[in-house]
Amino acid sequence: MSAMGNKECNFKAYELYSRCQQSLENDNDVNARRVLSAFKLYVANEPESALELATEGLKNADDFNCSGLVAMEKELLENIIKSAQFELARTRGENI
């Protein structure tokens, strides 16, 4: 079985996103912000929105009801923030 190409993966991601868009966008806990920010960065190519969402998620991380996952969620959000900042700098032609 071969891996899906980018176009096919993006189509599937948009299909899944359309099913849970309202729920994701209205959920402010850390894992929902992480999922939404990752979608905005890696699929929708919206690094500014991804940076905003990931930063918001990081601020709310300590309130997450699964305390054992807080460290992981923070690390994942920090990586999304770095990637979004890198992408913004790259598209603005800044020295990276």
Side-chain angles (χ1 to χ4, degrees), residues 10 37 45 56:
N10 283 351
S37 64
N45 195 27
E56 183 182 316

Side-chain angles (χ1 to χ4, degrees), residues 61-62 64 66-78:
D62 291 324
F64 192 41
C66 296
S67 60
L69 299 176
V70 170
M72 177 198 72
E73 292 289 356
K74 284 182 176 180
E75 183 177 344
L76 292 170
L77 283 166
E78 288 166 355

Side-chain angles (χ1 to χ4, degrees), residues 62-92:
D62 291 324
D63 297 333
F64 192 41
N65 59 5
C66 296
S67 60
L69 299 176
V70 170
M72 177 198 72
E73 292 289 356
K74 284 182 176 180
E75 183 177 344
L76 292 170
L77 283 166
E78 288 166 355
N79 287 333
I80 291 170
I81 288 169
K82 287 177 190 173
S83 295
Q85 289 170 331
F86 178 86
E87 185 61 20
L88 285 168
R90 187 188 69 76
T91 57
R92 292 176 181 153

Side-chain angles (χ1 to χ4, degrees), residues 18-73:
S18 70
R19 293 181 190 171
C20 60
Q21 178 180 1
Q22 187 174 5
S23 175
L24 267 179
E25 290 182 3
N26 292 326
D27 190 343
N28 291 320
D29 76 9
V30 65
N31 65 339
R33 296 289 95 174
R34 174 183 47 79
V35 169
L36 188 54
S37 64
F39 174 82
K40 296 290 185 175
L41 179 61
Y42 301 116
V43 179
N45 195 27
E46 298 176 15
E48 206 164 301
S49 179
L51 180 59
E52 222 175 271
L53 290 161
T55 301
E56 183 182 316
L58 203 52
K59 287 178 187 175
N60 299 332
D62 291 324
D63 297 333
F64 192 41
N65 59 5
C66 296
S67 60
L69 299 176
V70 170
M72 177 198 72
E73 292 289 356

